Amino acid sequence: MNTFFEVILVLFYTILCLWGINKWNYFTTSEIPKKWLNGLFVLKISVGFLLYLVYTQFYTVRSEADIFKYFDDSLVVYNGLFQSPIDYLQLVFFRAPDNEYFFDNYYEKMNHWANLHNSLFYGDSVLMIKINAFFRLFSFGSFHVHSIFFNFLSLIGLVGIYRFFKSFVKLNSLWLIGVVFCLPSVLFWSSSVLKESLLILLLGVIC
């Protein structure tokens, strides 16, 4: 992808997410100042870039890098959109058939798609591939755009967790923001294309 175009995409989706943070009632009624939410989101995006550098400079085997596993496999699913839109819809939104056609054209070409025979549930790897394949409709294949999307999802979860604890924990708001949003392990692992971002989202929704 052209670097200039990717920069424009990253800026566009960052601004779009910031606009959503400032307009969506879920965020505006959280009792967290808008400027803090905006700053936290930008901080998470920055940490996402740091993770990208870690996995490109120090863990150079891309197929084994956590942040790239599901993103790369999702390209196989996304390409199915141009070969057979029905295949893409089945793979992303439904339980894809467990047959030779899908195995030869899709499953065999991916490294982390768990083809679960006779199972009622998908593995979390499959869910991550599905989500990334859907995000490719808007990202034009930019990993950094996916990172922004996952950061927005995890921010939703973190705000939910904050609101949950705020309701009964007698702690200064700034301290609580620091505990919920800025613990190093939480900040680091929930700021990129990782399962932890979805886990934080779901925890926040449950809370």
Side-chain angles (χ1 to χ4, degrees):
M1 175 185 291
N2 180 278
T3 302
F4 177 75
F5 179 61
E6 185 170 19
V7 170
I8 295 299
L9 272 181
V10 168
L11 290 174
F12 171 77
Y13 283 116
T14 299
I15 293 170
L16 184 64
C17 288
L18 289 171
W19 178 84
I21 290 169
N22 286 277
K23 295 297 183 181
W24 187 9
N25 285 341
Y26 176 79
F27 290 110
T28 58
T29 59
S30 66
E31 298 184 16
I32 303 175
K34 290 182 181 179
K35 62 181 180 180
W36 280 91
L37 281 172
N38 293 336
L40 289 167
F41 184 63
V42 172
L43 174 63
K44 286 176 62 59
I45 290 175
S46 301
V47 174
F49 279 111
L50 175 61
L51 259 169
Y52 176 83
L53 291 175
V54 168
Y55 276 101
T56 52
Q57 301 300 315
F58 300 101
Y59 299 97
T60 55
V61 182
R62 187 176 174 103
S63 62
E64 297 177 2
D66 288 345
I67 64 172
F68 296 125
K69 286 179 180 178
Y70 316 111
F71 173 79
D72 289 346
D73 275 0
S74 71
L75 180 60
V76 176
V77 177
Y78 177 72
N79 286 338
L81 177 65
F82 306 100
Q83 301 169 15
S84 171
I86 297 299
D87 288 357
Y88 175 83
L89 292 173
Q90 285 185 294
L91 287 164
V92 174
F93 297 106
F94 302 100
R95 185 175 181 83
D98 186 10
N99 58 37
E100 185 176 352
Y101 168 79
F102 276 87
F103 180 82
D104 291 340
N105 287 278
Y106 301 103
Y107 307 150
E108 191 176 41
K109 297 177 181 179
M110 293 184 278
N111 296 316
H112 305 285
W113 182 284
N115 188 21
L116 303 178
H117 297 276
N118 302 317
S119 175
L120 293 174
F121 304 102
Y122 280 123
D124 49 8
S125 297
V126 173
L127 178 61
M128 288 291 293
I129 295 170
K130 286 171 174 282
I131 292 172
N132 276 287
F134 176 71
F135 284 165
R136 280 183 179 272
L137 294 174
F138 311 96
S139 71
F140 297 92
S142 168
F143 174 83
H144 297 298
V145 171
H146 286 238
S147 183
I148 291 170
F149 291 163
F150 273 87
N151 269 304
F152 187 75
L153 294 178
S154 64
L155 185 70
I156 293 173
L158 289 168
V159 169
I161 293 170
Y162 171 85
R163 294 176 66 169
F164 172 74
F165 283 108
K166 180 69 174 176
S167 64
F168 65 86
V169 173
K170 303 301 181 183
L171 191 64
N172 179 278
S173 294
L174 290 181
W175 279 102
L176 187 56
I177 288 172
V179 169
V180 172
F181 291 87
C182 298
L183 285 177
S185 59
V186 174
L187 180 61
F188 193 74
W189 295 113
S190 70
S191 296
S192 191
V193 185
L194 293 165
K195 298 174 184 177
E196 285 78 3
S197 297
L198 291 186
L199 178 61
I200 292 293
L201 169 67
L202 295 175
L203 283 175
V205 170
I206 292 171
C207 288

